[in-house]
Amino acid sequence: MSPSLIVNLLRFLLLIKMLSNRTVSVLKWGRCEAYAAVYPKVPDWVLNFSPLPSLSSPHRNLSAFPAAQSEHLQQKMSENGALPLRGKVLTVDTMNANVKKVDYAVRGPIVQRAVQIEKELKEGVKKPFEEVIKANIGDAHAMGQRPITFFRQVMALCTYPQLLDDNKFPEDAKNRARRILQSCGGNSIGAYTTSQGIDCVRHDVANYIQRRDGGIPSDPDNIYLTTGASDGIVTILKLLTAGEGRTRTGVMISIPQYPLYSASIAELGAVQINYYLNEEKCWSLDISELQRSLHAAREHCNPRVLCIINPGNPTGEPIRSFPYKKNSNDIYKGCEFHSFKKVLFEMGPEYSSKVELASFHSTSKCYMGECGFRGGYMEVINMDPEVKAQLTKLVSVRLCPPAPGQALMDLVVNSPQPGEPSYQTFMKERTAVLSALAEKAKLTEEILNTVPGISCNPVQGAMYSFPRITLPERAINEAKAKGQAPDMFYCMKLLEETGICLVPGSGFGQREGTYHFRMTILPPTDKLKIMLNKLKEFHQKFTQQYS
């Protein structure tokens, strides 16, 4: 792009900005400029035509307006109350109103303060603790979980194919890498892929789903690889959002919920419909509550979507009274896995040929814990062919998901099998991670339930607990006086006094009059014990202070 064209484009942007503020307009033709000042209070124009400086001039810039005329314009603008020349086009008042409604507690004020405290500790500021323990987010590797060797071997081979000649890598890892690379443009994982995802990976995902569901067919054409599960969820919500007023799309989400859902609903201008999980029954889902929520919502919107998070986030529970969809990797001992798709097909053609279902999975959690690769997939069932074409178009706008994330997703659904060189090591590592998670889940429940004023349901799935806390009335009143939710007040004091970073239950939704916090069970067992005991001491001290 030539310098003159860049200058013209910049001047055009300035023209748009000035016109939007009704202050000064810059019009250009050939080597001349016309400067026009428009005043909101009176129809007054000040015009000036002047030649542009040459391209070689060191003074050629957007302020090349002659000084005398510039002073005259400023004087006239001041006299007539015009807006300032440098007023912003994009302000909080002019931005997308839906974006301002978005809230994401998992990375909200508590976490921002935790980052500040970490900086203060590095600068030598004295605190009653030596480190910040971030138990606010399910980032397994950040909390010390070790990557699975086989996954990292294949990823290394994919990103640096010269290693395929290295005899330190097992042959099954090399075979996986070669197969993935051969499906990439130029045999490079750095190339764009098709928008729906690498073909061989989608076939592997379909085969995995078919094995998981006992032989129920899965069509690779119904598989879309995504940038983590979140990307697929938002994409489906975009397709479903429509209408205005009472016809606006209503989206039913569980309370407590993962803030991705409420944030996406707000951003898209849809209507959030809450249905409450039953805390007294280990966060179970009651069909009667779904029916109550649906009936109430029909008064003010058009309910079209039911979102089910399973195992629960933030509750850490599998759904008991309703079949769940998430991969069995996230379920601990004592719970049998049933996918939504499998149950749907077991209900017979009347349902399996009609119910529209979108299911999501990712590489981010459980024994994989590979959050940063942003790998995921979604399977769509019974989607209208014309709508499916629109879905494909929509994902095409973003070109493709990250190719490394797609490759990693392939390894999750196509892991080492008996007889392959990597199988024993893979199973040993996988089992160790899952056993550690189960142990930490039990440890969290047991220690928290010894604290008067804290009650914690069993953590049987996912990697979170959502304990209920009883707060003294004085603490509740002080929090309200500060304009804070009581559990936000509690969690902020916990952070300042102990360095433990949790997320208040108010960021996830909870029944009126109840208070909770969400914490991950991911820290190493020794650090988790320290954290839980610190939490126990803090709660006892907090209760005494405000009683």
Side-chain angles (χ1 to χ4, degrees):
M1 188 179 290
S2 68
S4 61
L5 180 56
I6 294 173
V7 169
N8 289 341
L9 288 172
L10 289 172
R11 291 186 187 279
F12 180 69
L13 289 173
L14 183 59
L15 168 62
I16 295 173
K17 172 181 170 61
M18 291 173 173
L19 285 174
S20 69
N21 286 333
R22 295 192 297 166
T23 54
V24 177
S25 305
V26 182
L27 307 176
K28 179 178 180 300
W29 184 263
R31 292 191 54 71
C32 289
E33 288 179 333
Y35 294 81
V38 186
Y39 307 105
K41 294 187 178 179
V42 295
D44 190 1
W45 289 74
V46 178
L47 295 175
N48 173 75
F49 290 90
S50 63
L52 283 169
S54 66
L55 275 174
S56 60
S57 169
H59 305 293
R60 176 163 187 168
N61 53 46
L62 293 178
S63 62
F65 190 30
Q69 284 82 354
S70 177
E71 291 177 7
H72 181 52
L73 278 176
Q74 293 294 332
Q75 181 181 354
K76 296 293 288 182
M77 290 168 64
S78 177
E79 290 172 0
N80 292 281
L83 293 172
L85 176 62
R86 295 188 181 180
K88 300 291 186 184
V89 172
L90 182 62
T91 68
V92 172
D93 293 326
T94 62
M95 68 180 285
N96 185 334
N98 287 335
V99 173
K100 290 188 284 186
K101 298 176 185 176
V102 171
D103 189 22
Y104 190 68
V106 177
R107 295 178 184 261
I110 292 280
V111 183
Q112 293 166 16
R113 177 59 186 145
V115 172
Q116 291 177 344
I117 291 175
E118 284 184 318
K119 290 180 180 178
E120 292 171 6
L121 286 170
K122 289 179 181 178
E123 292 167 357
V125 178
K126 296 298 181 183
K127 302 281 183 183
F129 48 86
E130 295 181 354
E131 66 171 335
V132 172
I133 302 176
K134 291 182 180 177
N136 62 295
I137 194 167
D139 191 349
H141 291 182
M143 299 303 290
Q145 183 173 307
R146 301 284 294 176
I148 298 296
T149 300
F150 180 76
F151 292 170
R152 289 305 181 89
Q153 286 176 331
V154 178
M155 296 307 298
L157 292 164
C158 285
T159 53
Y160 192 60
Q162 287 87 333
L163 292 175
L164 288 166
D165 297 326
D166 193 323
N167 58 13
K168 294 178 183 176
F169 290 83
E171 201 59 35
D172 52 348
K174 292 182 179 180
N175 289 337
R176 296 292 200 290
R178 291 189 186 101
R179 182 167 176 268
I180 292 168
L181 290 173
Q182 287 166 5
S183 296
C184 296
N187 291 331
S188 173
I189 204 168
Y192 286 131
T193 72
T194 60
S195 298
Q196 201 167 336
I198 298 172
D199 187 65
C200 74
V201 178
R202 289 192 293 115
H203 277 79
D204 286 347
V205 169
N207 290 334
Y208 163 80
I209 293 172
Q210 189 163 321
R211 292 194 308 271
R212 179 200 70 187
D213 294 338
I216 296 171
S218 178
D219 185 351
D221 193 49
N222 289 336
I223 306 297
Y224 289 77
L225 302 183
T226 58
T227 308
S230 303
D231 173 55
I233 292 166
V234 174
T235 300
I236 292 296
L237 287 176
K238 283 181 180 178
L239 286 178
L240 285 157
T241 302
E244 297 179 357
R246 291 185 64 176
T247 67
R248 278 196 304 165
T249 294
V251 182
M252 300 180 68
I253 62 172
S254 61
I255 299 296
Q257 55 101 24
Y258 182 58
L260 164 71
Y261 294 90
S262 57
S264 301
I265 291 166
E267 181 183 355
L268 295 170
V271 179
Q272 178 175 322
I273 304 170
N274 297 337
Y275 65 89
Y276 290 87
L277 302 178
N278 190 331
E279 183 172 8
E280 282 66 35
K281 295 182 179 179
C282 288
W283 299 112
S284 62
L285 190 162
D286 294 331
I287 299 301
S288 60
E289 168 61 13
L290 282 178
Q291 292 169 338
R292 178 210 62 79
S293 175
L294 177 63
H295 179 74
R298 283 179 172 152
E299 297 296 320
H300 58 88
C301 68
N302 178 23
R304 304 181 69 199
V305 191
L306 172 61
C307 291
I308 300 175
I309 313 170
N310 196 350
N313 180 0
T315 61
E317 289 291 313
I319 290 176
R320 298 170 181 277
S321 57
F322 201 76
Y324 51 88
K325 63 178 178 173
K326 227 12 184 119
N327 185 273
S328 57
N329 294 330
D330 280 342
I331 305 298
Y332 305 140
K333 295 177 181 178
C335 296
E336 186 179 353
F337 171 70
H338 301 276
S339 76
F340 273 83
K341 181 184 175 184
K342 181 179 180 182
V343 174
L344 176 64
F345 276 78
E346 289 174 347
M347 293 171 71
E350 180 184 357
Y351 294 94
S352 62
S353 63
K354 295 178 182 178
V355 174
E356 297 157 83
L357 173 70
S359 296
F360 310 89
H361 190 26
S362 83
T363 64
S364 298
K365 307 302 176 185
C366 198
Y367 80 92
M368 301 89 73
E370 297 281 10
C371 302
F373 276 99
R374 308 307 299 130
Y377 74 73
M378 62 179 173
E379 182 185 31
V380 294
I381 305 295
N382 294 326
M383 180 173 279
D384 183 283
E386 293 184 5
V387 174
K388 192 174 174 185
Q390 295 296 318
L391 170 60
T392 303
K393 178 187 72 175
L394 187 58
V395 300
S396 298
V397 172
R398 295 194 297 275
L399 297 180
C400 66
Q406 296 184 53
L408 187 61
M409 189 76 252
D410 186 71
L411 303 179
V412 173
V413 300
N414 187 23
S415 56
Q417 298 301 306
E420 291 188 304
S422 301
Y423 178 73
Q424 288 187 348
T425 299
F426 170 78
M427 289 303 296
K428 180 180 178 181
E429 292 177 346
R430 179 182 182 275
T431 301
V433 173
L434 290 174
S435 296
L437 285 172
E439 178 188 355
K440 289 186 283 190
K442 185 177 181 182
L443 181 70
T444 299
E445 176 198 353
E446 289 178 347
I447 292 180
L448 289 181
N449 280 327
T450 65
V451 186
I454 298 182
S455 61
C456 181
N457 275 317
V459 181
Q460 293 183 331
M463 45 187 61
Y464 314 97
S465 65
F466 198 66
R468 183 169 177 171
I469 52 176
T470 302
L471 301 180
E473 197 64 29
R474 272 188 59 208
I476 294 172
N477 293 336
E478 185 170 331
K480 291 179 178 177
K482 293 176 178 288
Q484 293 182 339
D487 45 18
M488 167 67 83
F489 176 75
Y490 177 94
C491 287
M492 192 64 81
K493 287 188 72 69
L494 174 70
L495 174 63
E496 296 287 354
E497 295 182 19
T498 69
I500 298 172
C501 180
L502 307 179
V503 189
S506 50
F508 299 88
Q510 55 197 349
R511 286 193 182 274
E512 187 72 25
T514 67
Y515 307 107
H516 301 79
F517 59 77
R518 189 192 81 161
M519 62 166 282
T520 70
I521 61 169
L522 289 171
T525 303
D526 56 345
K527 185 174 287 189
L528 180 63
K529 287 180 180 178
I530 293 171
M531 185 182 82
L532 290 169
N533 284 317
K534 277 188 174 184
L535 180 56
K536 179 178 180 177
E537 292 172 7
F538 169 82
H539 187 83
Q540 292 169 336
K541 177 184 173 184
F542 181 91
T543 301
Q544 290 175 350
Q545 180 182 352
Y546 287 97
S547 294

